[in-house]
Amino acid sequence: MKNKVLTTTIATGLMAAGVLTTQNPASAKADTVPTGDNTTSNEVATQKSDAKTIAQDNVNTAQTNLDKSKADTQNTSDSLQQAKANETTAQKAVDEQANKVSEAQNNVDKAQADVTTAQNELIAAQENAKNATEANIQAAKDNVATQEQNVATAQDQAKQANDAVTEQTNKVADAQKVVNDAQNNTSSAQNNVDKAQKAVNDAKSAMDPANVQSTVDAANKAEAQVNQDKQDVAKAQTNLDNAKAADATRQTNIDNAQKAVDTAKSNVDFSTKQAQEMKDQLNKYQGIKDAAQKEVDGLNDKLANVNTITISDVEAYKKAFNDWYTGSRRGENWTEEDKNFLNDFMNSNTYKGNAADKDVVVDINHLTADQIKELSLFSADLLNQVRNQLGLPKVIVTEGSLKLAKDVTDNYVSDNWDKFDHDVDGISRAAEENGLLSGGNFYEDAIFSSDFSEASTMDDLKSILYTGIVTMIGGSGDEMLHAAGLLGVDFGDDISTGKEQYFSAGTSMFPIKEDQMWITKMGHFFNVSKDYIRDSAKFSTTEVPGTSTEDLVTQLNTAKAKLASATDALNKAKDADTQAQQILAKNKAELTTAQDNLTKAQNVPVQTATAQKALTDAQNKLAADTKINEDAQAKKAAALGDEAAKQKVLDQANANLVTAQKALTDAQNKQKEAENNLSAEKAKLASLQQVANEKAQAVKDAQATLDDAKNKLAALENAPLLVKAAKDKLAAAQKALDPLENTLVSENAKLSALKQDLADAQVAVDQAQKNYNEKLATQTKAQTDLDNAKKVLQAIYDREALEAQIAAQEKAREEAEKKAAEEKAQAEKNGYHVDGNKVVDENGNQVSNWTVKNGQIIDNKGKVVSGLTINKAGAVVNKTGQQINSKNVVDNLQANKRTQAPVVQSKVAGKTYVSTVVAPEKAKANTLPQTGEKQSKTTLVGAILVGLGSLVGLFGLGRKKEY
């Protein structure tokens, strides 16, 4: 029955979840688990396994869907970001192009304004030309003269007005001085009135007997103050003398410090100039060194690209050359060693291509004079490299040898030469025309090169000529006749007998008639010996200048020497610059120190002025206090004098006051008069200034009229030139406008295209945003599906864990019950044990006077029996855990510290009762209930049901959410 209930609960949970059943029809098995009593455990296990598999499949499917959806979302996100980036780029391009359009429009507007201005100026110039008659020109001249007189008159009037202003300004200044003096007099008169009034007040006060003592005290105090002032003046004088001495010392220190600063500045100025000179010298030598380095680098670059021919072993070459000529037949004494050496020579010397020459296309049959010259100098340089290694004289390219090359190659072309041989007739004709020995081929060596293309470059021709010299010098064709010809050695002579020759080179091209597919290119080399010249007037021996490899090497060595010298000079200049900078730094440091010392000396306070002021203040105070003392002494004398004297003093004071008041009134009247006069003079000055301003403006107006008259005269006199200048200006303005308008049209077209690109980009962003939103929604749904599937799977795992827990708890409970039953049976068998609320012995007899309450043994007095407890099996045990029985109960009780009454055994109706007599004692109430140690079956089952109920509740919530 338990299995049935559990299965029903699980099935209910799966049905409540019901996730993804539409995706996997097999999941319907979880909804059809039977719950009747006839359901077998195997069927239930199979159903559980199927549900778990289905749930895991659903999770896997949902995870796959989510991963795919995330990838799709990421792709659309990337596309969206790219679309937005494209939109930003497009917007930036539009903005930038809009700025360009705006700039172009501004340029057009400005240019159009220039055109309009030029048009207006042309109209004005043309109108001016119409008016440029003799009469108008003369009238303009007369007007200029009139305006010049007007300007002069205006300038005179302006000068007179300015002079009047200056004179009146002086009068205002004088009037201002009178006012100032009057104000000072008034102020002085007011002071005199105040003093006279004070004297009257003092005289009146002196006549009051109550003031006598205070007057005497004041006089005594004033006299004491004068005495103190005299001491202060003496002290201030001493301080002044000391201050003057200190300031003299300060000035001496400042003068000395200033001299040090001046000296340091002079040193810094000198060393700065010297350092700059050294720096300039350093820069100069750096420039020389850089130039020398550049020259060396340039020559190295040139030499790196120069084609060279190198003989690795000169003696071996001479041997091979001479061996070919010895013997009865040429070449019969050539050894394998000779052949191998010459073969190595030809293989080790290869042509270097030249990128610049590859871009120069040439007509091989019609070379220009410069091209023949370039090819001849190129070939001569190669040949002279070989000759120099062999110790032979050089060949020289001359005007005559170049002409010979041109004439021979022209004859090859005109003769339609098409054989692998020399055009001897053409060579002889050219020799005759150039004043040379004729009648045979005394001059030409040639090399043939077959190619499928008629197109040739300068690089092609140089390659042919280079190959020709290497192969001929190397004994190509098992003979050294070509080598002898190029090296200037007569046939059969030792190689060391070569002679100087005039040299040139050329090319031609022709088809081979035996096979019209082949185009043959021919390189010609011409050596003219001096003894072959018959008519020197026809053959020029003027050398053609050129730079050979040897020249480059010489230049390089010279440049290297210059570089070494420049480097040495630069290093010395660097040392000098370093020393100059060090000296400058030292002098600057000394200047800083001197300036600091000067500042310190100047910062010492000047004492004389302060001391002088203190002395002056003391002297002024002494003078003032002396006057106060004199007045005080007079008042004292008056106060101590008789009444007639005091009245006399008062009368005099009143008379003085009247005089002072009259003087004040006079001064005030004079001040008022002076102020009125000043106002009048200022008003007159303002009027004169207005006139001067008007006259100055009249001068400006007259000058402007004169300038206008002169301009009109100049315009009439130069009318034709002004018209032409206006036309030129209009043409230039129109010319400037046209490309700007074209630019504006072009920029607007670009802007329109970019705006369309922006619109397309914005559409792409909208579509990408839509795609992203759709994929994000799909991803969100996939995430929800995965979460739901995981919940179902987790519920199954939770169910399995719960089943395992319940099974384990049930097994433990059964084992505990079994063990408890066994322990109980054993306890019942071995001795005293509990049966309900009674205590019985091993024979089942109840122990009298003992009961069980709250898991404790209570005697008939309600007291807990000391030393005895009840274990899990219900056995009554002592402190050591030993179960008591009928035999050891007395020993156990006696062993207890508490005194117990003896145990009494009695038999009633065939049964034995054991009891103890306990001394009467008030029982202590045990108010705390005790919990038993045995687990209640009801409690366990209840916990399981609660757990299952929670699970059902969880599934139920899931089911409600789904619906």
Side-chain angles (χ1 to χ4, degrees), residues 328-367:
S328 59
R329 288 185 306 106
R330 290 172 178 167
E332 68 177 353
N333 289 335
W334 239 356
T335 65
E336 288 299 318
E337 180 182 8
D338 292 334
K339 294 179 181 179
N340 290 336
F341 174 80
L342 293 174
N343 187 56
D344 290 341
F345 166 79
M346 288 186 288
N347 290 335
S348 62
N349 289 284
T350 57
Y351 175 72
K352 296 178 182 178
N354 188 299
D357 288 338
K358 290 178 181 178
D359 294 333
V360 180
V361 179
V362 297
D363 181 354
I364 190 172
N365 283 338
H366 301 89
L367 297 178

Side-chain angles (χ1 to χ4, degrees), residues 52 96 121 154 182 343 404 545 563 677 681 738 746 750 897:
K52 182 177 180 181
E96 291 176 350
E121 290 178 355
N343 187 56
L404 176 64
L563 176 60
N677 181 61
E681 296 295 343
D738 293 341
S746 174
K750 292 179 182 177
K897 293 181 181 181

Side-chain angles (χ1 to χ4, degrees), residues 8-19 791-792 795 947-963:
T8 302
T9 303
I10 295 170
T12 302
L14 291 175
M15 290 173 67
V19 179
K791 288 178 181 178
V792 172
L948 291 174
S950 299
L951 181 61
V952 173
L954 174 63
F955 291 157
L957 289 174
R959 186 177 184 84
K960 289 176 183 177
K961 286 178 68 176
E962 180 183 11
Y963 289 157

Side-chain angles (χ1 to χ4, degrees), residues 25-98:
S27 65
K29 294 179 181 179
D31 295 333
T32 58
V33 176
T35 59
D37 292 339
N38 60 345
T39 302
T40 66
S41 61
N42 288 336
E43 289 175 338
V44 172
T46 300
Q47 292 162 0
K48 293 178 182 177
S49 176
D50 289 344
K52 182 177 180 181
T53 300
I54 292 168
Q56 184 62 59
D57 290 343
N58 289 339
V59 169
N60 294 341
T61 301
Q63 184 65 58
T64 300
N65 293 338
L66 177 59
D67 292 342
K68 182 178 181 302
S69 179
K70 284 184 177 180
D72 293 343
T73 302
Q74 185 60 49
N75 289 336
T76 56
S77 176
D78 293 342
S79 299
L80 175 59
Q81 295 305 316
Q82 184 60 51
K84 287 183 177 180
N86 293 341
E87 180 187 19
T88 301
T89 301
Q91 184 64 60
K92 182 180 179 182
V94 167
D95 295 340
E96 291 176 350
Q97 188 61 31

Side-chain angles (χ1 to χ4, degrees), residues 2 808-826 828 872-874 933-942 944:
K2 292 178 181 178
Q809 290 176 347
E810 183 65 20
K811 181 177 180 183
R813 184 187 62 79
E814 291 176 351
E815 291 178 352
E817 289 179 349
K818 180 179 179 182
K819 182 178 180 182
E822 292 176 350
E823 290 177 348
K824 182 178 180 183
Q826 188 66 34
E828 291 175 351
K872 293 180 179 179
E933 295 185 16
K934 292 178 60 178
Q935 186 175 16
S936 171
K937 294 181 180 180
T938 303
T939 302
L940 177 60
V941 174
I944 294 172

Side-chain angles (χ1 to χ4, degrees), residues 225 227-237 614-615 618 621:
Q225 184 62 52
N227 293 332
Q228 180 62 48
D229 289 346
K230 289 179 179 178
Q231 294 177 9
D232 292 341
V233 167
K235 182 178 180 182
Q237 181 63 57
L615 175 59
K621 190 173 185 300

Side-chain angles (χ1 to χ4, degrees), residues 53 195 197 235 310 336 415 514 571 685 735 838 845 847:
T53 300
K195 290 179 180 179
Q197 183 63 57
K235 182 178 180 182
T310 303
E336 288 299 318
D415 292 347
E514 289 81 359
N571 290 334
L685 174 61
K735 183 178 180 181
K838 297 182 296 183
N845 298 319
V847 178

